[in-house]
Amino acid sequence: MTSTADLTDTLDADAKASAQRKREIEDFKWLVAHKQGRRILWRLLSMTGVFTSSMTGNSQTFFNEGRRDIGLQLMAEVNEHSLEAFVQMMKEAKADE
């Protein structure tokens, strides 16, 4: 049997996690709303190898895939919360070349 205290704790934990996620999304939107933030994000995406193949034919591939996974998580955030920022980042990166 679940106690009222356990249920309250679960609801509190869910509310706290929801509030934290909302804050993360707002932080991300703030980051990509600024040219400097988009430059940082583009640099991180490039560093993670998200735009290149990670296959090397040896164990380096495992390392590359771990790094690339972080980039894919960042890309998922962009796609979910600010797709227009990705287009803007591409344009700005191209202009900076």
Side-chain angles (χ1 to χ4, degrees):
M1 183 191 288
T2 304
S3 72
T4 304
D6 289 341
L7 184 56
T8 300
D9 289 346
T10 300
L11 292 174
D12 287 346
D14 289 347
K16 188 180 266 188
S18 177
Q20 181 177 352
R21 183 63 185 142
K22 283 175 98 172
R23 187 173 54 243
E24 290 170 357
I25 292 167
E26 290 305 313
D27 290 349
F28 190 82
K29 287 179 178 180
W30 176 87
L31 180 73
V32 298
H34 298 86
K35 190 171 186 173
Q36 298 91 336
R38 291 190 300 273
R39 279 197 307 260
I40 290 169
L41 183 56
W42 189 262
R43 190 167 54 249
L44 289 173
L45 289 171
S46 298
M47 289 168 57
T48 63
V50 77
F51 303 121
T52 61
S53 173
S54 59
M55 183 63 174
T56 63
N58 59 40
S59 61
Q60 180 69 33
T61 299
F62 303 125
F63 175 80
N64 293 347
E65 272 301 298
R67 186 174 55 186
R68 189 169 182 270
D69 185 58
I70 298 297
L72 292 174
Q73 290 176 43
L74 289 170
M75 288 290 293
E77 291 285 328
V78 171
N79 289 334
E80 186 174 347
H81 304 296
S82 192
L83 188 55
E84 63 279 353
F86 184 72
V87 174
Q88 186 66 32
M89 283 190 296
M90 286 192 310
K91 289 178 182 177
E92 291 168 353
K94 186 71 173 165
D96 287 344
E97 287 181 351

